[in-house]
Structures are given as structure tokens and as C-alpha cells.
Amino acid sequence: MIETQDLKMLEALEKKILWLSSWMIHNANHLRPKVDGVKVGGHQASSASLATLMTALYFHVLRPDDRVAVKPHASPVFHAIQYLFGNQSREKLENFRGFGGAQSYPSRTKDVDDVDFSTGSVGLGVAITSFASLVQDYVRLKGWSQTVPEGRMIALVGDAELDEGNIYEALMEGWKHDLRNAWWVIDYNRQSLDAVAREGLYGQFDKLFSSMGWEVVTIKYGHLLQAAFKEPGGEAIRDWIDNCPNQLYSALTFQGGAAWRKRLLDDLGDQGPVTALIEARSDEELARLMTNLGGHDLPAILEAFAAIDHDRPVCFIAYTVKGYGLPLAGHKDNHAGLMTPDQMETYRAGLGIRPGYEWEPFEAMEAPPAEIERFLKAAPFNSRGRRRYEAARVPLPTALPTPSGEVMSTQEGFGKILNEVAREDSPLAQRIVTTSPDVTVSTNLGAWVNRRGLFSRTPLGDTFRDEKVPSAQKWIMGPEGQHMELGIAEMNLFLLLSALGLSHHLFGERLLPIGTLYDPFIQRGLDALNYACYQDARFMLVATPSGITLAPEGGAHQSVSTPLIGLAQDGLASFEPAFVDELSIIMAWSFDYMQRDGEGAPAGPWLRDEKGGSVYLRLSTRPLEQPKRAMTETLAEDIIKGAYWLRAPGPNCQVVIAYQGVVAAEAVAAAGLIAEDRRDVGVLAVTSADRLSAGWHAAERARQEGRHQARSHIEELLAPIDRDAGLVTLLDGHPTTLSWLGGVQGHRVQALGVEHFGQTGTVQDLYGHHRIDTDAVVAAANAATAGRPIRYLRAVP
């Protein structure tokens, strides 16, 4: 039981938090000068519904190693709590939703107040807590992180947020992996953005979570209602509330005590004890009683949290009122509603806050400031200060092995490189953890898994092996395994990669995650991929096979726009190598890039490589003849910068073929044919349109800022080429990926690529149909250059 004095302090802090969060929103809408007229809706009512729950959690329940994903619209409450803890500044609160101010939705990378998980795209912040718990088990069962106490992964969830499908995908995956130490606290205010929620959702939530192995704890009634239920006539009041439609309850909450009285008396009639119970209370007291739901009652909340004495996942369903304590409480339009200046003035005066003292942390609180400060410092969650860990970098070899072979695909090369890494128990091999949505074998992770095993909290043998059934795969599971197998849900893949890629900050142990999937299905998990990058999680995404090159599979398995995703996605360096020696260089660089922390001077030519990030490799199953060459330091550097001359242009170059990825053979073949009629043909091997583009834009900005000698890598490569020369770009993907190269030096460009869904057929069939074959390159070169027709030009349909 909580001490009475502590309970009074929590109640005072709850009022202060609700005031500060409301004042932040009011300041953003009415007091701070605006030029765009944007109003801050949504936060005011949603924040109010969670103020009590978050007060209980942050000031009493949470420990330093608990990690919390805050409901997006509750960000003002979160920032207010951190302000009282001393982790947030008044300047940033005053600039809430302004440039450089506290963020609209909690952000790990943009807020200063120790955010555990970014939130904003609803559902993702909920689900990542499940995967973070799995990652915590992973590092602890490896024998690492032993000095770091085990924490609970907690999500504060809006009930409407549970409409998001990715939450249910995560629930199923958690059940498969024996999820522990996860709490989801549902803010059950029964209102969505546009309306009041459907009846009966509580029962569905209860059944669903129970079926997934979660304990369900309902926090429905506060202590006032619990006491009233024990009075004569109290059971009738309880039955009426239990059967009251959500819309009616919300409407009466907004209307207040007189409306409650009339409706109760109309519905229940003159029943003696019931009438006496109602009439014994003033309108104000009756309204307070009828809205005394468990989610706004500190004793009820604290009792529910304290009753959990196990590590099984728990779902708390906390009944609340959206906008509780504010004039817009209960109204179905309150998501976009805002308190007026007059309402805020009444609210301020009622709390006893003096004009001009609205931002003072302890203004109008009864306890002396020194006592409040002692309480805040003693709060378990705040006892250690900033809770984000750091971790040492994993030592890396000077180079990764380059598999031998005259003909090989990049997907095959990827599997062989990892297999060689897995042979030795190096620091790199120990810290790699792989995962895949049920395509482990078909993305060439099989050899790695055979050597390093599958991860499971409990050991599980390979029945096929025990029964002596021949199989290439050794599916032995146990705590020592380093592959986390997932079901077919790409959202789960990216959420797990996000959690794995934050392990150094969450749990003090650095991991090097690698996730594989089919390239076209990046788009099925794109929101979660963007979320992972927004959080600055670090991982390697290996997407293979890709493009229409996966010819027999048909259009559903052929990617077109994914190179553009790699080009545009912030926090993700994208590569598409053609040859395995390129892949080896890129992977070695990637393991270093994934560990960079943003310190130091810029490392690349106008690229912000010192910051680091995640990496996306777009690979293929098409075998190509591998070049016989020595990997020089200069070549390796150019591969990482994004391009190198596979065939250097001569001094009188008339045409350059710039290709990316698996179409290297077509580019080389076309160059040979074109060379008989066009002088000094160059073949530019693009390994990363993403890095070339980023470098070019950065150099442009540098010149605009006065650094006139700035030159990007692609500018240096194309500088010797006469402007009258033609440029042909080629890839198995959308042509826009490379078409911008014509703007670097003003060359005429013919951009070849894939713009429409593919279909089944041979590689030759599809390359010809989509005009990315050798004949199409020759035709494009002829169109891009002056002179007599190229003799090998053929009619291209």
C-alpha cells in the first residue's frame, strides 16, 4: 500500500502535469506567434486521458531499466513529466511543436528528454516493446549485460490504436517466442479520432490477449465508485454503467452533473435506495462519481500494477475519459478540440496559478519545493538520471573474405561470405544476429544458421536429424543460437531489426543485426522500416532476389520501385552491387558504418558518414561471370563512394553506359557493340545511386554556402566527359534511380529501367520486353549520340 503522504504528492503532481501539458498546447496555439495558422488538435484531450496513468508509472512504478513507448498524443504529458524530473527545458516546452522545440510525438533522435522508443505512426510504438523484450532475453541469455537489471518493456496504448494490424502480427510472434516482461497499458477511453468506439471492444480485447497467453487486468472503477457500489442501491448504479452505451456515457460526461442526474433517474426510476444515493450528491459530486473510472484513480491504478508478481506479459485495460478534467471531456469531436483562452483562464485561476508563473514547476503546489524535489529525486525511474546506455564498438577484421568462383550471384556470394565469418568465433561472428520472415533458406542464410544455430529461450532439438532424415538444414534451437526466425510478416521483421539495432542504447550490448527478405516485400513493411530508421536503429537489410530478373516468379515477386526507396529513405545507405568482390567490400564497410556514433569530422567526400546508419543491400540470384581483378585501395574506396569505371572512357568519349546491379552483363556487351561506331566508350559501374546522389546534393549545398571547390564523387567521375557525349543509364529497377545523372554535367541521357509490373518468362524475355537488354542499350546509345547509326542497331519493339 502506498503511504497517504505519497499518494497526496502523486495527486498534486498529476494536477501539475495536466496543467503543464495543457499550457504547452495553449501556448502553441494562442500565445506563440504563428505564420501558418496550424492548430494543435488531438493532443489536449488525449493527453488528459493518460495523465493519471503516466503519473503513477513515472513517479512510482517504473524502474530505470524499464523502457516505455508513450502513446503519440500523450507527448505533452511525457514532456511535462520530464520537465519536472529536470530532463527537459522550459525553452523547449515553450516551443512545443515549434522548430527546435519539444516534438509533437516523442522522438529518440530529436527530443532531449530520454525517449526510449519514438512513436507517431500508431501501432508501431506498441509492437516494438514486444520485440525489445525478445532482444533483452537474447543478450542476457548470451551471458552479456549481466550488470544491467532486467527491465519491463511497456507500451501506453490508445484503444483506437488497436485497429492497427501490425499489433496483432506482433502478438502472434510474441506467443511463438514465449514473450516475457511486456506490459501494454490500454487507454480505454472508447473514442477514436473521428467518433466513439463500437460497443463490446473490451470483451474482444480480453479474449484476444488471453488467447495469446497474456494476463488481462481490467482497471475499470475508481475508489469513489467502488465505495458507492457498497451503498444501498449501488449495485443498480454498477449495472447501469456496465450496460451504458459508449456514446451515451461520453455525451453525459460532456454535459455534466445535471445531465447525469436526469438520465439516471429516468432510467432507474424511483427505487428508494438508488434515488437516495443519487440525491445525496450535488451535481458536481455526481459528475465526479460517475466519471471516477479506474484509469483516473491513482489508488486503483497503483493497486493493479503492484499486484503483478511475475514476468508473463500483461495487458492492463484502463477505463478512462478522453479529455478528463477539461471542459471538452467526453465530446466526440474533442480530438480536434482546443480549450479557448477564457477556458484556460478559468482553469488557471481554479488551480491557483498566478499569471506569469504558468511555467514554474512547483507553482500552486501545497508541499514545500524542497519536499517535492526530494520526492522527484527518490522516484525509482529518475534515480539514475539519463538511462540510455552506450556500448563499445565490435572489433572488425581488416577485410571480409571474397568467395572464389568464376560465375556467381550476389545472393550466393552473401551466403558464402557469412558462412566464412561463421567458421571462426571472432568478435564479429559473436555479435551478428540474423533474422528473416520465413525465407531464411531461400535468401542464403542457411549456411550461417547451420553453423551458429537458431535462438530460443529453451533448447529444442532437430527432430529430422534425430530421426536420421537427411536434410541440408540443422535446425537446432537454444539460447546460444544467433538466428531469430520469424513468421511471414515483414512488419515484424523491421520492428525486430529496430529493436536489435537499438540494443546498445537499450541494454548496453551492441549487436550487428542482419535481416533478409525478398526485395519486393520491403513495401509490405515500409512503415516499420521508416520507423526503424527514424529511431536511428542500426542494421543490415539484405533484400534478395530483386527485380524482373526473378523472371519465372512473375510480377508479384518482382520489384520495380525499391531502388527509389533506397535512394530516398533517410538513415539507410543503399547499395546494389553486381559482383561478389564489390559485395565483400560493402559488407565490411557496413559493419563499421552501423557502429558509427556521429562524432568527429565528416569522413566522406561531402557525405555525412561520421553519423553512421543502417544499410540496404539489393541482391540478385542471377549468376554473373566474376571479374578477374585485384581489389586495390582506390577501387574499394570508389565502390563505397558509389561508382567506379569498369571500362575507363577515352579522351574522345562519345557515350557512357552507367549501370547498377545485375544488368552488368548487358552493359558490357552493349559497350563492345557500340565501340565500333562510337569512340572511347566508357562503362560506369554504379554500386550506390543513393550515395552518389547524396554526395552530389551535399556538394551543391557546399558551393552555395561558399565552398566553391567542393566536388562530389560523381562530378569528378564525369568531369572529363565532353558535354556532347551521350549517357545511357541502366538497371533492373525504376529508371529514375539513375536518370538524374544527366543533370550532373548536362549530358543527354537515355534512362533505361523497369516501369511496369513484370510477368513470368525467361530473363531474356523480360529484359527484352522491358527494354533493359543489350539491344535496348545499343538503341539508347544511338539516340543519345550524334553520328551515323550504330551498325548493330536492331529494331526494339
Side-chain angles (χ1 to χ4, degrees):
M1 292 293 292
I2 186 170
E3 298 289 336
T4 301
Q5 184 176 356
D6 289 345
L7 181 60
K8 288 183 177 180
M9 183 66 78
L10 288 176
E11 290 172 342
L13 287 169
E14 177 194 3
K15 290 181 181 178
K16 173 57 65 173
I17 289 163
L18 186 55
W19 162 257
L20 284 172
S21 61
S22 299
W23 186 247
M24 287 168 59
I25 297 165
H26 180 73
N27 180 69
N29 283 282
H30 297 291
L31 303 183
R32 195 169 69 224
K34 287 196 167 47
V35 295
D36 55 10
V38 174
K39 296 294 183 181
V40 184
H43 287 290
Q44 197 136 35
S46 294
S47 290
S49 68
L50 267 172
T52 318
L53 284 162
M54 291 177 68
T55 298
L57 282 168
Y58 280 94
F59 294 113
H60 188 77
V61 177
L62 296 178
R63 303 186 298 258
D65 289 285
D66 294 332
R67 298 285 180 256
V68 187
V70 176
K71 175 182 170 182
H73 279 128
S75 63
V77 171
F78 173 79
H79 293 312
I81 289 171
Q82 296 296 329
Y83 178 55
L84 294 178
F85 277 147
N87 299 328
Q88 180 61 280
S89 68
R90 171 175 170 174
E91 178 186 12
K92 289 188 178 294
L93 291 192
E94 289 188 48
N95 199 25
F96 174 60
R97 291 189 66 146
F99 185 74
Q103 295 292 297
S104 305
Y105 309 113
S107 171
R108 291 190 75 258
T109 57
K110 301 182 185 303
D111 278 315
V112 299
D113 44 359
D114 206 14
V115 176
D116 294 318
F117 302 105
S118 299
T119 54
S121 182
V122 294
L124 298 178
V126 180
I128 196 174
T129 57
S130 293
F131 294 103
S133 182
L134 299 181
V135 174
Q136 179 177 239
D137 282 346
Y138 182 90
V139 298
R140 294 182 70 83
L141 288 170
K142 291 289 184 292
W144 309 329
S145 193
Q146 294 303 300
T147 60
V148 176
E150 195 170 66
R152 295 163 295 197
M153 305 298 116
I154 299 171
L156 298 169
V157 189
D159 50 3
E161 201 169 2
L162 289 169
D163 287 342
E164 290 289 346
N166 74 278
I167 289 177
Y168 302 101
E169 293 175 341
L171 276 175
M172 180 64 76
E173 204 62 58
W175 175 81
K176 294 177 188 175
H177 287 271
D178 193 20
L179 176 67
R180 304 183 312 126
N181 290 317
W183 284 12
W184 289 3
V185 183
I186 299 175
D187 172 21
Y188 192 54
N189 60 42
R190 291 154 290 168
Q191 285 186 245
S192 61
L193 302 187
D194 293 331
V196 177
R198 286 282 299 273
E199 304 298 327
L201 278 180
Y202 161 79
Q204 300 304 313
F205 294 157
D206 192 332
K207 289 187 289 187
L208 176 68
F209 280 91
S210 296
S211 71
M212 292 293 178
W214 290 57
E215 179 177 347
V216 178
V217 176
T218 301
I219 312 174
K220 186 169 185 178
Y221 297 117
H223 72 283
L224 291 179
L225 277 172
Q226 292 177 32
F229 296 156
K230 296 176 182 177
E231 296 180 26
E235 281 302 316
I237 296 292
R238 181 174 190 148
D239 290 343
W240 185 92
I241 294 175
D242 286 343
N243 292 291
C244 180
N246 292 336
Q247 292 204 42
L248 176 59
Y249 187 90
S250 297
L252 292 172
T253 297
F254 178 75
Q255 290 174 306
W260 280 113
R261 185 182 308 279
K262 182 178 186 306
R263 187 68 191 219
L264 288 170
L265 291 174
D266 287 348
D267 285 359
L268 296 177
D270 187 1
Q271 298 186 26
V274 180
T275 303
L277 187 154
I278 296 169
E279 295 295 358
R281 291 160 171 85
S282 66
D283 284 351
E284 182 179 349
E285 291 170 335
L286 185 59
R288 186 183 175 203
L289 172 68
M290 296 304 292
T291 57
N292 178 230
L293 299 179
H296 299 302
D297 190 85
L298 281 166
I301 295 169
L302 295 171
E303 181 181 347
F305 288 151
I308 305 303
D309 59 358
H310 56 77
D311 63 5
R312 299 193 310 278
V314 183
C315 171
F316 298 93
I317 302 177
Y319 278 73
T320 62
V321 172
K322 191 171 182 178
Y324 183 77
L326 304 178
L328 36 72
H331 197 289
K332 72 181 182 69
D333 298 337
N334 62 13
H335 179 76
L338 292 165
M339 291 172 65
T340 66
D342 288 343
Q343 288 173 328
M344 280 299 298
E345 175 60 22
T346 301
Y347 184 28
R348 180 199 61 75
L351 292 173
I353 294 173
R354 294 170 291 172
Y357 289 79
E358 291 88 354
W359 295 107
E360 293 301 316
F362 307 144
E363 171 70 7
M365 294 182 69
E366 292 183 3
E371 183 180 333
I372 301 171
E373 288 180 350
R374 282 195 299 270
F375 186 88
L376 293 174
K377 289 179 180 179
F381 184 77
N382 196 40
S383 62
R384 203 175 64 204
R386 189 167 173 83
R387 301 152 39 260
R388 189 172 297 185
Y389 291 103
E390 300 296 334
R393 294 180 61 163
V394 177
L396 300 174
T398 55
L400 293 180
T402 301
S404 60
E406 293 186 0
V407 177
M408 199 182 315
S409 72
T410 48
Q411 178 178 300
E412 181 185 1
F414 163 72
K416 288 184 174 182
I417 291 170
L418 269 190
N419 184 41
E420 290 303 311
V421 172
R423 288 180 184 275
E424 298 184 9
D425 201 29
S426 65
L428 171 61
Q430 291 172 3
R431 293 292 171 152
I432 290 175
V433 53
T434 59
T435 184
S436 186
D438 204 35
V439 289
T440 298
V441 176
S442 53
T443 54
N444 272 52
L445 276 178
W448 163 267
V449 177
N450 282 347
R451 292 190 183 279
R452 309 303 291 197
L454 286 99
F455 173 75
S456 173
R457 286 183 56 227
T458 55
L460 181 64
D462 185 344
T463 302
F464 275 73
R465 185 182 181 188
D466 295 342
E467 294 295 325
K468 298 182 173 51
V469 177
S471 172
Q473 308 306 320
K474 303 172 185 176
W475 296 107
I476 299 174
M477 304 179 70
E480 62 282 347
Q482 289 180 242
H483 177 77
M484 302 179 76
E485 183 69 0
L486 296 172
I488 308 174
E490 283 76 11
M491 294 290 280
N492 284 345
L493 170 71
F494 291 122
L495 286 167
L496 177 56
L497 285 175
S498 184
L500 289 165
L502 292 175
S503 180
H504 53 296
H505 286 320
L506 296 175
F507 310 117
E509 295 291 342
R510 189 178 297 277
L511 300 174
L512 297 173
I514 300 175
T516 66
L517 82 167
Y518 294 173
D519 190 65
F521 301 138
I522 284 178
Q523 289 153 308
R524 286 171 55 172
L526 192 53
D527 192 17
L529 170 60
N530 182 66
Y531 173 69
C533 293
Y534 181 69
Q535 298 210 89
D536 198 26
R538 304 301 179 87
F539 53 87
M540 182 187 297
L541 173 64
V542 181
T544 179
S546 64
I548 62 167
T549 303
L550 192 61
E553 291 293 319
H557 280 66
Q558 296 167 356
S559 56
V560 173
S561 62
T562 49
L564 296 177
I565 294 171
L567 194 68
Q569 179 60 58
D570 191 19
L572 191 69
S574 172
F575 292 88
E576 187 171 0
F579 304 116
V580 174
D581 61 351
E582 298 170 358
L583 176 62
S584 177
I585 293 297
I586 292 167
M587 288 181 66
W589 176 86
S590 299
F591 287 127
D592 176 73
Y593 184 72
M594 289 158 61
Q595 301 184 70
R596 297 179 189 175
D597 58 9
E599 300 297 330
W606 313 111
L607 290 172
R608 298 166 67 187
D609 281 359
E610 77 282 0
K611 292 187 175 298
S614 292
V615 178
Y616 163 30
L617 307 181
R618 189 175 190 251
L619 306 184
S620 175
T621 51
R622 185 190 186 194
L624 293 180
E625 183 178 349
Q626 299 298 300
K628 298 177 177 62
R629 61 188 177 188
M631 182 55 66
T632 65
E633 184 177 341
T634 299
L635 177 56
E637 288 177 355
D638 286 351
I639 288 170
I640 297 304
K641 290 176 182 177
Y644 66 91
W645 288 113
L646 185 68
R647 174 174 171 166
N652 299 303
C653 177
Q654 288 184 290
V655 63
V656 168
I657 303 170
Y659 76 88
Q660 178 171 282
V662 73
V663 291
E666 282 66 33
V668 171
L673 298 176
I674 294 166
E676 297 194 27
D677 294 289
R678 297 292 184 268
R679 293 191 302 272
D680 296 344
V681 176
V683 179
L684 184 66
V686 177
T687 54
S688 176
D690 175 28
R691 289 176 60 75
L692 284 184
S693 174
W696 180 44
H697 290 304
E700 286 280 11
R701 288 192 296 271
R703 290 191 288 269
Q704 293 165 14
E705 294 168 358
R707 289 175 283 172
H708 302 296
Q709 300 305 312
R711 290 294 181 273
S712 65
H713 183 56
I714 188 59
E715 289 172 309
E716 292 175 347
L717 288 170
L718 295 181
I721 310 301
D722 191 278
R723 283 200 176 189
D724 289 334
L727 178 60
V728 178
T729 63
L730 174 70
L731 78 157
D732 182 5
H734 200 281
T736 303
T737 309
L738 294 176
S739 65
W740 59 270
L741 289 173
V744 175
Q745 300 289 0
H747 292 110
R748 294 191 303 275
V749 64
Q750 291 285 318
L752 303 181
V754 181
E755 297 181 81
H756 304 289
F757 294 118
Q759 57 185 302
T760 56
T762 66
V763 171
Q764 291 73 26
D765 290 336
L766 269 65
Y767 278 20
H769 177 72
H770 289 276
R771 302 194 73 246
I772 61 171
D773 62 353
T774 301
D775 289 345
V777 178
V778 174
N782 188 72
T785 57
R788 66 183 183 183
I790 298 173
R791 68 189 67 187
Y792 293 102
L793 182 66
R794 300 176 185 175
V796 180

